[in-house]
Amino acid sequence: MQTTVSFRAASSKASVAPRAPRRMAVAVRATQAPAESSMVEKVDRVAGLARVISTAATGVLVAACLTLSAQTTAAHADADLALGQQVFEGNCAACHAGGNNNVIPDHTLRKAAIEQFLDGGFKLEAIKYQVENGKGAMPAWDGRLSEEEIDSVSAYVYDKAANDSW
């Protein structure tokens, strides 16, 4: 592709007659990458963006899991396990001695049984809910035990099951 450019040189001397405009041919070469190369670049950019989004999503999920784990661990750490043991021995051991269940034998307080039979699974909150509200033959302890006693006995049961120490 060629373009012609015209220009006029101005003189600082007034006595010089103006000259005819000069014409100069200027070659302009335009290059464009092939269409395939452009498409490959776009695909690479999209793939890179997908990797960034995937990495960010993974980070969000990990942070959420760590937050939930920290909350459960903090609630467990705040509970008084010695008080939980006293509450268990004084109120629960009649039916659940040694983590067993004298009423429904396969519904023990071992982790696998809690995961299988407890509404909400093996979570401190689910154990606390069961202690507070009861179910079937198990009485509700809300109103009979203080909140501190319920928190402590729930944490005690969770700790014994988690560490397989019944």
Side-chain angles (χ1 to χ4, degrees), residues 9 20 23 25 39 43 77 85 87 112 115 127 153 164:
R23 294 192 183 267
M39 184 58 89
V43 169
Q85 182 178 0
V87 172
E115 288 172 337
I127 295 169
V153 76
D164 195 27

Side-chain angles (χ1 to χ4, degrees), residues 81-98:
L81 295 180
L83 175 60
Q85 182 178 0
Q86 289 175 353
V87 172
F88 185 87
E89 290 170 354
N91 298 282
C92 310
C95 295
H96 294 289

Side-chain angles (χ1 to χ4, degrees), residues 71-88 91-92 123-133 141-160:
Q71 289 172 350
T72 300
T73 303
H76 184 208
D78 290 344
D80 182 347
L81 295 180
L83 175 60
Q85 182 178 0
Q86 289 175 353
V87 172
F88 185 87
N91 298 282
C92 310
K123 295 181 185 150
L124 183 58
E125 296 80 17
I127 295 169
K128 182 178 175 182
Y129 182 86
Q130 180 83 10
V131 171
E132 290 174 330
N133 299 289
W141 291 96
D142 192 28
R144 296 180 186 190
L145 298 174
S146 70
E147 187 167 340
E148 180 185 12
E149 290 171 318
I150 290 173
D151 287 343
S152 296
V153 76
S154 299
Y156 175 76
V157 169
Y158 181 88
D159 184 69
K160 295 291 268 184

Side-chain angles (χ1 to χ4, degrees), residues 6-110:
S6 297
F7 64 93
R8 181 182 290 188
S11 173
S12 59
K13 296 182 183 179
S15 64
V16 176
R19 294 188 204 170
R22 289 183 158 170
R23 294 192 183 267
M24 173 186 267
V26 177
V28 177
R29 182 176 291 160
T31 59
Q32 182 176 359
E36 298 115 26
S37 176
S38 173
M39 184 58 89
V40 168
E41 289 173 2
K42 287 179 184 177
V43 169
D44 285 345
R45 279 187 292 210
V46 169
L49 183 59
R51 282 191 298 275
V52 168
I53 290 170
S54 174
T55 302
T58 301
V60 168
L61 288 174
V62 168
C65 289
L66 290 175
T67 300
L68 289 174
S69 176
Q71 289 172 350
T72 300
T73 303
H76 184 208
D78 290 344
D80 182 347
L81 295 180
L83 175 60
Q85 182 178 0
Q86 289 175 353
V87 172
F88 185 87
E89 290 170 354
N91 298 282
C92 310
C95 295
H96 294 289
N100 294 311
N101 187 326
N102 295 334
V103 179
I104 305 172
D106 59 340
H107 289 214
T108 68
L109 298 180
R110 287 173 178 70

